[in-house]
Amino acid sequence: MPHQTSVLPEDMISPVRDFPKVRACLFDMDGLLIDSEDIYTFCNNVILQQFGRPCLPWTIKAQLQGRPAPESAEIFHAWAQLPISREEYLLKQAALQRINFPTTQPLPGVAGLLANLTASGTHIALATSSHAVNFKLKTAHLQPLFSHFAERNRVLGDDIRIPKGKGKPAPDIYLLALKTINDELTAQGQKEITPEECLVFEDSVPGVEAGRRAGMRVVWCPHPELLKIYRGREHEVLAGITGMLRLPDEVEQALDESGAKGRVVGRPGKIGDGWAELLITLKGFPYEKYGIEV
């Protein structure tokens, strides 16, 4: 069941209720499809404890999730203050990940959700910040699960089509994932899918903002510990307004002005606008709510 929260009346706007049918679902991977986020934490903690540092708290972990590796590294090392070089840290981290990433498992409800979406004819694509090497380590043993994503519909974090500095929470990765689907539809002479017809599945806060700024609907299914960090701010996350992406004031103003009459790609949402919801689990997903027939 969706997690319910309360919002002050003045924070609310009239929610949209007449959405078009969802024709495409776009998925994050780490912590959403597979349990790799907990493995990342384990590997980091092993190294931290070697140098007498405390385990990684969720207040910091929440800032790392979903972001491109260089940005996450800056945040992590600013907090960790380890007495080794970043290069040495990366070597230690990679060694632990090579051992542990091949043990990843699907999270509850994921296998059934992907199977049902495929059977329903809903288009799906992957949009993950993981680079190709780690993607292979995490997924090689899970081919039945990831076979639902055609190779052309997998957008990874080191995809050269994503401009430098434009990883999540920027919308580029989700717009590119949609483009991979639309390129195929165009080649077949079929109608392209609009952002409003897309549903993004995310566990991270930057990822939710990326989906919202892409002009898409979003399902946020966070780790229980992440949800604790954002307790009382759930609606801000769903609107994509937690300040993860900072644009120049003039850009934000232009987006606000251009979005006065509706959704605009690049602009976050509004609290209570109906474009996103929080789910505790992907088990029992409400397909009918999104016009998906299974």
Side-chain angles (χ1 to χ4, degrees):
M1 294 293 290
H3 178 74
Q4 300 295 322
T5 57
S6 60
V7 191
L8 294 175
E10 58 266 30
D11 287 334
M12 296 294 290
I13 65 172
S14 297
V16 177
R17 302 187 187 281
D18 57 346
F19 288 104
K21 173 183 176 180
V22 166
R23 297 175 59 203
C25 291
L26 312 180
F27 289 86
D28 174 52
M29 182 179 73
D30 294 295
L32 187 281
L33 297 180
I34 56 177
D35 61 354
S36 49
E37 283 293 354
D38 286 336
I39 294 176
Y40 270 113
T41 301
F42 170 78
C43 294
N44 285 333
N45 284 343
V46 168
I47 302 171
L48 288 167
Q49 290 173 349
Q50 287 178 358
F51 296 96
R53 298 290 290 136
C55 289
L56 185 68
W58 266 93
T59 51
I60 301 300
K61 172 80 172 177
Q63 299 176 51
L64 308 181
Q65 284 186 299
R67 292 184 182 274
E71 295 181 19
S72 293
E74 288 295 329
I75 296 169
F76 173 79
H77 286 289
W79 168 80
Q81 296 294 303
L82 289 167
I84 56 174
S85 69
R86 293 193 182 189
E87 291 74 19
E88 185 177 351
Y89 177 83
L90 285 174
L91 288 173
K92 290 177 175 290
Q93 183 187 55
L96 287 165
Q97 290 175 349
R98 283 194 297 271
I99 295 170
N100 290 281
F101 276 160
T103 69
T104 57
Q105 292 298 316
L107 287 167
V110 166
L113 174 61
L114 293 179
N116 286 335
L117 290 175
T118 299
S120 73
T122 304
H123 299 276
I124 63 173
L126 190 70
T128 174
S129 297
S130 278
H131 288 197
V133 171
N134 279 345
F135 175 79
K136 185 176 181 179
L137 285 172
K138 297 169 188 173
T139 65
H141 61 295
L142 298 175
Q143 285 312 299
L145 188 77
F146 283 90
S147 65
H148 292 287
F149 299 98
E151 289 284 347
R152 62 181 174 274
N153 301 132
R154 299 177 182 181
V155 182
L156 309 184
D158 51 353
D159 194 307
I160 61 173
R161 294 171 293 179
I162 302 174
K164 185 177 180 180
K166 290 293 186 178
K168 300 174 187 178
D172 300 61
I173 192 169
Y174 280 116
L175 294 172
L176 178 56
L178 174 57
K179 184 179 184 299
T180 68
I181 295 173
N182 279 336
D183 285 348
E184 183 182 5
L185 292 176
T186 299
Q188 297 171 351
Q190 298 185 45
K191 181 183 176 183
E192 289 192 355
I193 297 171
T194 65
E196 297 82 20
E197 295 173 309
C198 291
L199 181 61
V200 166
F201 288 79
E202 266 288 353
D203 70 304
S204 74
V205 175
V208 172
E209 182 168 349
R212 291 306 315 266
R213 286 186 180 270
M216 301 171 180
R217 300 171 73 182
V218 178
V219 165
W220 181 36
C221 188
H223 191 288
E225 294 301 319
L226 179 65
L227 192 55
K228 290 179 183 178
I229 298 297
Y230 282 92
R231 182 167 293 150
R233 299 183 62 198
E234 294 93 335
H235 284 299
E236 293 178 36
V237 176
L238 295 174
I241 58 171
T242 57
M244 289 290 177
L245 180 63
R246 298 188 181 280
L247 298 175
D249 291 342
E250 61 272 19
V251 175
E252 290 283 16
Q253 182 178 352
L255 288 171
D256 285 342
E257 291 173 354
S258 62
K261 296 182 179 180
R263 288 295 296 123
V264 170
V265 171
R267 182 172 181 259
K270 299 288 186 181
I271 288 178
D273 60 9
W275 283 71
E277 75 167 315
L278 168 59
L279 295 180
I280 300 302
T281 178
L282 294 179
K283 294 175 66 175
F285 182 75
Y287 302 96
E288 65 285 347
K289 179 175 181 178
Y290 296 96
I292 301 171
E293 297 180 8
V294 298

